[in-house]
Every structure is written in C-alpha cells, then in structure tokens.
C-alpha cells in the first residue's frame, strides 16, 4: 500500500536551526518513568518510536544540576560527564533509524522538591510555585536567587548543553514552562525582584533570553536550541503593547530560539483525559504563536488522526505535530500513515494509565500498547512477534480486551485461533463501558483489535456462543485460554477490613445491573469502594437520567485513585458542575428500609444514616472463573481431550484495569508455546559491575 497524497505534507522535512527533522512527526519530551536508572529500558522505549517513523524523539525532563531533583519521580539528569554515557545509549538508538534526538534540559526552580539531594530549592523571589497543590506539597520553601545564583544557573544550562552535545543530541531544550525555573521569572506573581531580572516584561524575560543565547553560543553550531514555553497563564495577563504578556514574550524572543515548543503550564490540564478533552484541545493556547515567529512551532493535542494533523499544519497552527500519548499507544503511527495503513493505527484512548505509571515511578505502561516498557526487558516489539506453529490450535473463551488482544497476537503469530464470545458483540467490558459519559474512545481497544482479527484467515470468531466446560473439552484444541472477565459484586470491606455482604435488598444495585438495563430509583446513593472511574461515571450517567445522586466513599475524594492519572481535578469539577453530592470518609456499613448506615473512618466510628431510593454499590470485582476452575480441576479430562495447556487471562485471572487485561492477553500470546510458566523469570535487569 502506498501513502495517501493527502498526507504528504506530514512527511516534509522541517529545518530546525542547524538540523533538519526528516518529517513533521515530533515525539515531544515526556517522562517515561525510567530516569537514568534504567538506561536500557529508556533507550529501547525511545528507539522503537524512531523506528516507527517519528522524525524527532526527545528525552523526558533532564535535570541540569542537583538543585533540581524530582525524586522519587524518575527524572533523568546530566549533572556531570559521568551522566553522558547513559544518554548516548538512547541517542545512538534513535539515530540508528534516521531520527533526530532531543533532550529537555530542565531546572525545576521551586517547582521541585529536592528530596534526594536535600539542596534548598531556588526561585526568582523565594515564592514556592507549587506549595499549595496538595499532591506536591514539600515541607521546604525556596530561597530567592542572588546574582551569583543566576550566573551559576546560566552556567549549569551551558554545561549541560555541552554534555548533551557530547552525548550526540541534535536538539537541546531550555524549559521555561510548567512552573519550572526560568518560567518563574516570567510570571509577575512569582517574580517580585527589583533588579534587572524583575519588574518590566523585558526584565522578566531576561534570564530566559540569556540562557537561550548562552546555549546557542556554546552548542548552537551543532544543536538546535528549543524553547519550551507555557502560554496559558500568561495569556490571561494583560499587556499594554499586545493582547497578552504571552503574545509579548513570544514577540520579544521571537527569533531567539530555533524552535518554539508551546504547552500548558499545568500537567493536569495538558494531559486531560479523553473523558474531558477532545483531540486538538491545546489549540486555544498555541494557535497565536506561529504568526509571531518565523521559527518552527511544535505543540501537542493527543493527535491520532492524520487528517487532524494535516489540518494543524495547513491552518498554520503547528509546523511539527507533537505527541507523547499517541506515540506511546502506537510507536509506528507515522510509518502506518506513510504506508497507507491508517486503519491499523493503535489509537490512544486518552485514559492516562501511562501517566499513572510515571507517578508510580515505574516505566510508563499503556492500555492500548502492551509492549510499552517491555521493549528491552522482555524484548517485546510493538509490531513484530515470533511466528508460531500454524497447526497448533488455540481456543479463546471470551472476547473482552484480554481475549481480543490474545487472539490478535496469536493470530499474528500464525496459530489456528478460535475466539468464542457469549454475547453478540465483541469487546466485553470496553463495549459496555464505552457507553458511559466521556468514555466513547475506549471502544478503540475493541475496534483496533477486531479490525485486524477480522482480516486474518487463521482466526475464527463465534459470537453468541456461551461455552461450557464440556464445549471446551469437545473442541479438542491444543491450548485453551479462558478470558471470561469479572463481575461487580455487592461485597465491600468493613471498617475492620473484613468483607461484608448483606446487601440483598432489591433496592441495592451493582454496576453490572445498571449496564443490564436496571434503572435505580432516585435519589441514588453510590457507594464508591473502587476509587477509579466507575463510581464517578455512573454518577454522571444517573444524573443525566435526572436522578439526584450522592457519592459516598471512605476516601477523601471522588475517584480517589485518579490522582495517579491526572483526572482527579477534572472529575471533581465535573461532579460540582453536575450537582452531584459527595460525602467523604464514610464506610457503608448497612442498608435497611431505604436508609444507608454510614460509619466514620475515624476512631470514634460515629454512625449516621442517609435515606435514598436506591443504593448502587461500586464495590469489589470478582473473577468470572467458574469455567476455568471446572476445567482446571480435572487434568485428566483435559489431557484426554488433547488439551496441552489451560490458562486464565485478564479479569478472569485477576480483576484489574483494562490495561492489565490487554497486557495479560498479550503475554499469554507471546508465551503460549513456552511451557507451563506464565511468570517471566528471565527478565533483563540492569546490572552493576562493581
Ligand atoms: P477482560 O477485561 O478480562 O477481557 P471482559 O469482562 O471485558 O474481560 O470480557 C469477558 C468476556 O467473556 C465477555 O465479553 C463475556 O461475555 C465473555 N464470556 C464470559 N463467559 C463466557 C463463556 N462461558 N463463553 C463465552 N464467552 C464468555
Ligand atoms: Fe493513550 Fe491510555 Fe496508552 Fe496513555 S495509556 S498512551 S492515554 S491509551
């Protein structure tokens, strides 16, 4: 297949200072959860994107000095020459595929905790930018930078830029955004200085200008200097000369950097999930930049559609299509467009599981792309997989995310695959959950896989086929894979951590009952003991249906876990907007005659009651593993039928997020012919030579 000429513009080279990007696909700096501690993993995670056609591949934030340390979050660093080697590994990997490598040099100023290095934070005026944001509270406050500090601050950037050049990087960033060092000088409410670095806008931009010019002088012959700049806050600051201070800063520095990388000041807003923003949502904060500079402009927008990308370029919004999440979900997105295979793009669903990986301080993982983070450790490639034996038959029972991914990957390997699904529709939980408010993109988990599977001659799909253990036995397959999912129970844990039940009233519902068509009578009390999206999404759904809704939870926030994937603020705002009531820090301990008994999580265990028409328990999920258990309990029966292996995968094995189910299905497909063990013991691990 060949490329659709409509997309030719995306494959034009773009000059960036002294270097040239081979196309407009630009993998923006983003944290990977590896830091310098996992150089092989990092190099492989970046390399695969260069291989997949991204013309520029950047590191995540890279500290230039120990006074900027984000521990325990895994940032990378270029503190001294010893740090060059681990970066060179990534640069070489990226260069092998003809892409440019960039490094996001970073000093966090007061926006970082320095928990590991224990150096005082520094900032323009000693005002700590993030100190009021609960998740990032530091006990320390920053100190104002004196002139010597400013001189050193500039020198650290230059030294790091030289090291970056030694590592082979082609693009070197200065980070004047997102509440980090130089950005704090730009904001009038954080910069109260009375010297030449404070006061007028010209003075507040002085440090940023100086650093860009210093870096240009030091490495500008060889490397492009990119300026990463946040516009959203400064767009609201009026200026006498132009529409806003953001406009004025860009005009003043217009031709100083070689590249403008424009973004939001808030990671939470910038990475808003698909539940809250559409593709291209950054346009209001980056579309004004291009008319103010002749230098190329890059920005993000969770772009997965080549038409949307072309539109950005043609309408003069962006020169380079920046991507973090779309490149995680599909490292080969550019190649697929180039080869006319757009319908094979594994589109990001905007769920932000990747973000949670970084917050967990582990390599980012992805709902759509189970190989992300496993490229080096398990040698999983996002597009390639070892061929299997076409005469070996595999029966997969259940076509949710786990079963579909397993079927897709086994089909790709060439096995003779049969996929049986009880329902008429494929997709299991994603088909159901994608009907919830804001979750429509989740259907992409199903669509990407069914699209590929349906074109495979070696995968047969049987819909409307509820299989029993005897059916599996009668099928006489070589391998049986049970992917029958999980269900919501009415079980929750008590104040003492014991499972409690006793919610048998017909006024008590589970999410599965709502999905099956039940219409709980309002007012509805939702007890959220799950803490991810389900409680909040069902609250939205029932509110849309006109019910009065109250969410009760023992946590201190709605969907408390979503702090990890940057959704919590948006969810809270949505609840307020829709008039959904919230009651925090209460256990549900009983339900009788339309009244829920609530017990405080605190030591006094004070008890109260709340009247409601219905109680919806978003409680504990339990595996639907009866089929697996029955088959697993009779090894002779399996052996007699010639079944060489039996496995359970996905929620049937251990209920979790969709990402876990996809991963489990993929792992099964990779290892089905590798013997009994599904537990990888031969992972690559970085080893120290002492
Ligand atoms: P996962 O997230 O692990 O993929 P899901 O709950 O999304 O799990 O999907 C499980 C699928 O298995 C559902 O579509 C369900 O209809 C199907 N299923 C459950 N039991 C059987 C069975 N005995 N035979 C065929 N399909 C089944
Ligand atoms: Fe997109 Fe979700 Fe994958 Fe992140 S985890 S890249 S948001 S699909």
């Amino acid at each position: 297949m060949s490329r659709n000429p409509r997309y030719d513009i995306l494959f034009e080279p773009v000059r960036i200072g002294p270097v040239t990007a081979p196309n407009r696909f630009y993998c923006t700096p983003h944290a990977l959860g590896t830091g310098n501690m996992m150089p092989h993993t990092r190099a492989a995670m970046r390399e695969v994107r260069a291989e997949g056609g991204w013309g520029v591949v950047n590191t995540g934030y890279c500290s230039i000095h120990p006074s900027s340390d984000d521990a325990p979050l895994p940032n990378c660093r270029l503190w001294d020459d010893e740090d060059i080697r681990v970066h060179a590994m990534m640069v070489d990997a990226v260069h092998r595929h003809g892409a440019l490598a960039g490094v996001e040099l970073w000093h966090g100023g007061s926006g970082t905790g320095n928990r590991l290095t224990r150096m005082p934070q520094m900032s323009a005026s000693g005002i700590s930018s993030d100190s009021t944001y609960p998740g990032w509270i530091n006990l320390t406050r920053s100190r104002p930078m004196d002139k010597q500090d400013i001189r050193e601050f500039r020198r650290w950037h230059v030294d790091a830029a030289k090291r970056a050049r030694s590592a082979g990087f082609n693009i070197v960033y200065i980070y004047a955004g997102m509440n980090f060092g130089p950005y704090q000088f730009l904001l009038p409410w954080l910069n109260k200085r009375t010297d030449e670095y404070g006061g007028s806008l010209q003075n507040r931009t002085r440090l940023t200008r100086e650093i860009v010019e210093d870096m240009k002088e030091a490495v500008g012959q060889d490397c492009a200097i990119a300026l990463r700049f946040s516009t959203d806050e400064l767009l609201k600051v009026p200026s006498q000369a132009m529409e806003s201070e953001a406009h004025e800063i860009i005009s003043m520095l217009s031709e100083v950097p070689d590249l403008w990388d424009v973004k939001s000041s808030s990671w939470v807003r910038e990475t808003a999930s698909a539940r809250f923003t559409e593709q291209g949502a950054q346009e209001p904060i980056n579309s004004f930049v291009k008319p103010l500079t002749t230098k190329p402009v890059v920005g993000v927008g969770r772009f997965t559609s080549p038409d949307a990308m072309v539109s950005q370029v043609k309408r003069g919004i962006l020169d380079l299509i920046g991507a973090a999440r779309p490149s995680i979900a599909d490292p080969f997105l550019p190649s697929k467009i180039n080869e006319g295979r757009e319908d094979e793009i594994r589109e990001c669903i905007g769920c932000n599981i990747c973000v949670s990986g970084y917050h967990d301080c582990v390599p980012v993982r992805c709902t759509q792309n189970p190989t992300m983070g496993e490229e080096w450790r398990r040698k999983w490639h996002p597009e390639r997989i070892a061929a299997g034996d076409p005469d070996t038959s595999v029966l997969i029972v259940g076509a949710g995310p786990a079963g579909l991914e397993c079927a897709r990957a086994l089909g790709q390997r060439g096995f003779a695959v049969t996929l049986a699904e009880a329902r008429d529709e494929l997709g299991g939980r994603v088909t159901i959950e994608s009907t919830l408010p804001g979750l429509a993109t989740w259907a992409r988990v199903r669509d990407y896989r069914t699209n590929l599977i349906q074109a495979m001659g070696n995968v047969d799909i049987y819909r409307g086929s509820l299989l029993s253990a005897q059916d599996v036995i009668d099928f006489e397959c070589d391998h049986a894979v049970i992917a029958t999912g999980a269900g919501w129970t009415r079980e929750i844990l008590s104040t003492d951590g014991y499972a409690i039940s006793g919610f048998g009233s017909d006024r008590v519902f589970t999410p599965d009952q709502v999905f099956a068509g039940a219409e709980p009578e309002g007012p509805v009390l939702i007890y959220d003991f799950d803490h991810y999206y389900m409680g909040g999404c069902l609250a939205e759904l029932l509110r849309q249906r006109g019910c009065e809704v109250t969410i009760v939870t023992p946590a201190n926030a709605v969907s408390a876990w979503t702090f990890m994937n940057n959704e919590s603020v948006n969810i809270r705002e949505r609840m307020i907007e829709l008039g959904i009531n919230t009651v925090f820090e209460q256990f549900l301990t009983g339900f009788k005659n339309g009244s829920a008994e609530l017990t405080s999580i605190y030591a006094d265990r004070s008890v109260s009651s709340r009247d409601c028409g219905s109680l919806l328990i978003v409680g504990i999920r339990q595996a639907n593993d009866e089929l697996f258990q029955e088959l697993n309990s009779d090894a002779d029966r399996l052996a007699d039928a010639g079944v060489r292996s039996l496995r359970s995968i996905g929620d049937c094995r251990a209920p979790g997020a969709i990402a876990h189910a996809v991963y489990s299905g993929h792992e099964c497909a990779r290892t089905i012919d590798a013997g009994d063990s599904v537990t990888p013991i031969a992972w690559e691990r970085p080893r120290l030579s002492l």
Side-chain angles (χ1 to χ4, degrees):
M1 275 184 283
S2 59
R3 181 166 88 210
N4 184 329
R6 202 160 76 230
Y7 306 135
D8 285 353
I9 195 169
L10 299 174
F11 293 87
E12 291 171 352
V14 179
R15 182 99 190 144
I16 313 174
V19 298
T20 302
N23 58 38
R24 296 183 189 271
F25 295 94
Y26 191 100
C27 204
T28 43
H30 72 86
L32 270 188
T34 54
N36 276 33
M37 299 300 288
M38 300 186 198
H40 305 83
T41 300
R42 183 178 60 181
M45 288 168 95
R46 302 282 186 205
E47 174 172 13
V48 82
R49 280 176 264 183
E51 186 190 352
W54 296 88
V56 178
V57 179
N58 282 281
T59 63
Y61 64 153
C62 177
S63 169
I64 58 170
H65 188 263
S67 58
S68 176
D69 142 44
D70 221 16
L73 292 171
N75 59 267
C76 40
R77 58 168 201 265
L78 261 174
W79 290 347
D80 60 24
D81 290 355
E82 279 295 301
D83 285 335
I84 293 173
R85 222 158 29 113
V86 296
H87 287 279
M89 183 185 285
M90 171 211 141
V91 172
D92 293 346
V94 166
H95 283 171
R96 272 198 285 279
H97 305 280
L100 299 178
V103 57
E104 183 186 42
L105 298 184
W106 160 78
H107 195 293
S110 65
T112 178
N114 297 349
R115 292 173 175 88
L116 182 65
T117 62
R118 304 190 69 174
M119 297 179 78
Q121 298 137 273
M122 47 172 70
S123 63
S125 302
I127 303 168
S128 293
S129 55
D130 277 339
S131 61
T132 54
Y133 188 47
W136 307 109
I137 287 176
N138 297 315
L139 297 181
T140 53
R141 295 290 172 262
S142 63
R143 67 178 178 81
M145 290 163 73
D146 62 21
K147 290 284 178 56
Q148 176 65 14
D149 291 324
I150 289 179
R151 278 193 292 278
E152 296 203 336
F153 196 79
R154 290 173 58 183
R155 182 173 57 78
W156 298 335
H157 277 89
V158 168
D159 290 348
K162 287 180 179 164
R163 289 185 199 113
R165 179 177 56 184
S166 299
F169 283 109
N170 312 101
I171 301 175
V172 181
Y173 269 72
I174 159 179
Y175 203 158
M178 229 184 204
N179 276 337
F180 295 136
Y183 184 66
Q184 291 158 9
F185 279 74
L186 298 174
L187 301 180
W189 55 93
L190 293 182
N191 182 346
K192 303 286 183 195
R193 300 177 75 94
T194 53
D195 62 6
E196 68 270 33
Y197 289 97
S200 70
L201 191 55
Q202 188 158 20
N203 281 356
R204 283 184 274 129
T205 53
R206 188 180 304 279
L207 180 62
T208 298
R209 176 192 286 275
E210 284 175 347
I211 296 172
V212 176
E213 288 174 348
D214 291 346
M215 290 190 352
K216 265 192 143 168
E217 193 183 324
V219 302
Q221 294 291 316
D222 307 308
C223 306
I225 309 299
L227 176 54
R228 199 163 217 208
F229 176 58
S230 294
T231 58
D232 50 332
E233 290 178 298
L234 285 155
L235 275 169
K236 294 182 199 133
V237 181
S239 109
Q240 286 184 342
M242 299 184 80
E243 281 167 75
S244 74
E245 287 206 345
H247 288 77
E248 218 181 325
I249 290 172
I250 290 172
S251 301
M252 286 163 68
L253 299 179
S254 165
E255 305 302 308
V256 181
D258 296 314
L259 169 71
W260 283 92
D261 183 331
V262 187
K263 70 195 303 285
S264 164
S265 63
S266 154
W267 199 42
V268 166
R269 303 279 175 209
E270 183 175 67
T271 58
S273 65
R275 191 171 160 192
F276 300 100
T277 59
E278 302 283 331
Q279 173 174 240
Q282 302 286 312
E283 207 172 305
I285 67 158
N286 62 27
S287 56
F288 72 99
V289 177
K290 255 190 77 62
L292 301 175
T293 177
T294 66
K295 304 292 180 174
V297 177
V298 62
V300 292
R302 219 175 56 242
F303 295 111
T304 56
S305 148
D307 291 307
M309 298 175 196
V310 168
S311 162
Q312 290 282 312
V313 178
K314 287 202 167 158
R315 287 186 297 123
I317 312 291
L318 301 174
D319 299 292
L320 294 151
I321 304 300
R325 287 172 288 179
S327 73
I328 293 172
D330 196 342
F332 277 64
L333 183 150
S335 299
K336 289 176 184 175
I337 299 172
N338 196 26
E339 292 159 16
R341 296 190 290 131
E342 299 85 68
D343 56 347
E344 292 179 29
I345 293 173
R346 200 164 39 234
E347 285 188 281
C348 167
I349 68 167
C351 64
N352 284 5
I353 281 291
C354 46
V355 172
S356 75
Y358 162 68
H359 282 154
D360 275 330
C361 305
V362 295
V364 300
R365 56 275 328 268
C366 174
T367 297
Q368 277 283 57
N369 176 8
T371 65
M372 179 49 51
E374 306 291 352
E375 300 85 349
W376 178 73
R377 187 171 71 163
R378 304 192 72 174
K379 308 293 177 255
W380 287 1
H381 189 276
E383 299 298 312
R384 291 193 293 274
I385 190 163
D389 174 8
D391 293 329
T392 297
S393 61
V394 186
L395 171 65
I396 302 168
V397 186
L404 282 175
E405 173 58 17
C406 191
R408 186 206 63 76
L410 283 171
Q412 188 186 358
R413 294 193 63 190
F415 287 101
V417 182
T418 302
L419 178 62
E421 165 55 49
R423 298 195 189 107
D424 291 333
E425 326 83 52
L426 306 178
R429 65 184 286 195
V430 291
T431 294
I432 294 166
E433 293 176 14
S434 61
T435 62
L436 285 168
L439 302 190
T441 54
W442 294 28
R444 293 173 178 178
V445 173
R446 173 199 62 208
D447 296 343
Y448 162 71
R449 291 172 174 83
T450 49
N451 180 32
L452 291 176
I453 289 170
Q454 278 162 0
M456 291 174 177
N458 56 331
V459 182
D460 292 328
I461 302 175
Y462 293 90
R463 300 162 191 254
S465 304
L466 177 73
L467 298 200
S468 65
Q470 193 55 48
D471 293 331
V472 175
I473 294 293
D474 291 345
F475 199 80
E476 295 186 348
C477 55
D478 293 309
H479 301 280
V481 178
I482 311 301
T484 46
W488 292 93
T489 70
R490 296 172 178 213
E491 288 207 350
I492 52 178
L493 299 185
S494 72
T495 48
D496 302 315
Y498 297 111
I500 51 170
S501 34
F503 295 99
S505 156
D506 59 7
R507 290 168 72 174
V508 179
F509 297 86
T510 66
D512 286 334
Q513 286 175 287
V514 175
F515 293 137
E519 302 214 353
E521 195 180 302
V524 181
L525 190 152
I526 297 180
Y527 183 60
D528 184 7
F529 198 70
D530 174 64
H531 308 305
Y532 193 13
Y533 55 90
M534 188 56 71
C537 282
L538 284 172
E540 280 189 51
L541 179 77
L542 295 174
R543 196 80 190 98
Q544 280 177 5
R545 289 184 188 170
C547 295
E548 185 188 329
V549 179
T550 300
I551 298 184
V552 177
T553 173
N556 58 8
V558 177
S559 304
W561 180 87
T562 59
F563 172 71
M564 295 299 286
N565 73 342
N566 283 359
E567 283 190 301
S568 59
V569 173
N570 285 318
I571 290 175
R572 184 78 186 116
E573 286 175 355
R574 176 70 54 85
M575 297 298 121
I576 293 168
E577 196 185 306
L578 295 178
I580 293 165
N581 309 309
T582 47
V583 177
F584 299 134
E585 300 168 340
Q586 299 288 323
F587 286 108
L588 172 70
T589 44
F591 183 76
K592 216 184 267 173
N593 303 328
S595 181
E597 181 190 86
L598 306 181
T599 302
S600 165
I601 66 166
Y602 294 112
D604 69 345
R605 296 283 196 250
S606 57
V607 176
S608 60
S609 61
R610 246 176 193 265
D611 292 340
C612 54
S614 316
L615 170 65
L616 171 54
I617 297 180
V618 184
I620 294 171
R621 288 171 71 225
Q622 216 165 52
N624 293 330
D625 61 356
E626 301 80 7
L627 176 62
F628 174 76
Q629 297 299 356
E630 185 183 339
L631 289 164
N632 201 35
S633 65
D634 196 342
D636 292 343
R637 194 175 167 206
L638 286 171
D640 289 348
V643 179
R644 280 155 37 199
S645 81
L646 169 75
R647 291 196 196 185
S648 62
I649 61 169
D651 289 318
C652 169
R653 183 166 179 78
I658 297 163
H660 301 121
V662 172
Y663 182 86
S664 170
H666 191 83
E667 179 182 58
C668 177
R670 291 255 179 192
T671 58
I672 200 145
D673 44 356
D676 289 341
S677 174
V678 292
T679 309
I681 49 170
W683 279 341
E684 291 278 10
R685 282 161 288 165
R687 292 168 205 275
L688 290 178
S689 45
L690 296 173

